[in-house]
Amino acid sequence: MTSIPSNPTRHTPQRTCVACRQVKDKREFIRLVNTPESDVEIDTGGRKAGRGAYLCQTLECWETGLKGNRLEHALRGRFTRDNREQLMKQARDLIKGAN
Ligand SMILES: [Zn+2]
């Protein structure tokens, strides 16, 4: 990063949602991580090791992300059907809890 930040008042890391491509503060997203030892998981703490991707806290983005291959592409991994279902279920709980 050598460029001068265009908005110096904000220094929270910015991330892009893999579903809707919106750029927001990192903490406004839910992080997914492709852990080396297991399947793709939701990383609520935001600091698990592995390749990560971000989705908004909206079910639309989770459905879009999990339906296509965008997340697989972003995470460089494969989802099993079970994995997908589990993630969707967890996301529903998380999103419900957040609102
Ligand atoms: Zn989104």
Side-chain angles (χ1 to χ4, degrees):
M1 292 289 174
T2 51
S3 63
I4 297 152
S6 55
N7 192 347
T9 56
R10 282 186 156 249
H11 36 231
T12 317
Q14 302 281 292
R15 292 291 181 269
T16 310
C17 171
V18 293
C20 69
R21 317 299 301 177
Q22 260 193 79
V23 179
K24 292 191 277 199
D25 285 4
K26 191 181 166 186
R27 58 181 171 201
E28 289 182 49
F29 289 113
I30 298 171
R31 183 174 189 249
L32 284 125
V33 64
N34 190 5
T35 60
E37 65 276 0
S38 68
D39 289 332
V40 176
E41 327 176 347
I42 291 174
D43 177 20
T44 46
R47 56 185 118 85
K48 267 186 193 152
R51 198 169 173 87
Y54 296 84
L55 280 171
C56 300
Q57 296 182 36
T58 62
L59 286 176
E60 287 90 343
C61 286
W62 280 80
E63 276 159 12
T64 309
L66 287 170
K67 218 191 316 173
N69 59 8
R70 290 168 199 238
L71 264 179
E72 290 183 326
H73 193 76
L75 292 166
R76 296 194 188 157
R78 281 286 176 102
F79 289 119
T80 60
R81 181 182 279 252
D82 278 1
N83 199 186
R84 254 179 233 261
E85 277 170 14
Q86 213 175 42
L87 289 171
M88 198 64 220
K89 211 192 308 177
Q90 282 178 47
R92 279 204 187 97
D93 290 346
L94 274 174
I95 291 162
K96 244 188 290 172
N99 294 321

